[in-house]
Amino acid sequence: LGGYVEQIDPAAFDDSLANDDQIASYNHDYASILGRRSADNLVLTKDSTGLRYSITGAASDPDVVRVAEKVRAGSVVGSSFSRRSVRM
C-alpha cells in the first residue's frame, strides 16, 4: 500500500480494553462472531508488543469449527482489527 508503515500509539487500545463488549469475528463479518468479551470467550490483553487476544469459542458453533479448521490447515495465518480514526 504505497510503501508506508503504520505506527499505532501504545495507548490506542486503552478505551477498547475498558469496554467489556468487544467482539472477534471472521473476516470482519458480524454474522460470524467467534468470541465476545462480555461472554467471557474473548480475552484481550495489551503488552509491550501490542494487543493480544485469545478466543475460546464453542465447539458446537459451526463458524468456530470452520475457522479453527482453516487455522489448523494453515490456510488462515494472520488476523486484523477494525479501527476508527479520531481527529485530534
Side-chain angles (χ1 to χ4, degrees):
L1 297 175
Y4 65 90
V5 175
E6 290 181 312
Q7 185 172 0
I8 300 171
D9 186 299
F13 299 111
D14 291 350
D15 288 344
S16 294
L17 290 170
N19 177 352
D20 70 347
D21 200 25
Q22 302 297 323
I23 66 162
S25 63
Y26 181 66
N27 218 13
H28 300 278
D29 182 358
Y30 286 96
S32 184
I33 294 177
L34 305 175
R36 183 177 220 118
R37 285 187 75 195
S38 61
D40 292 326
N41 54 17
L42 169 64
V43 176
L44 299 174
T45 55
K46 185 175 82 166
D47 63 15
S48 62
T49 303
L51 186 68
R52 296 189 180 277
Y53 67 92
S54 174
I55 303 167
T56 53
S60 60
D61 183 326
D63 290 328
V64 171
V65 173
R66 180 173 55 94
V67 173
E69 285 299 318
K70 290 177 183 292
V71 171
R72 275 195 277 290
S75 300
V76 173
V77 295
S79 63
S80 62
F81 63 93
S82 296
R83 63 174 162 61
R84 282 182 274 148
S85 297
V86 177
R87 180 177 285 176
M88 303 299 281

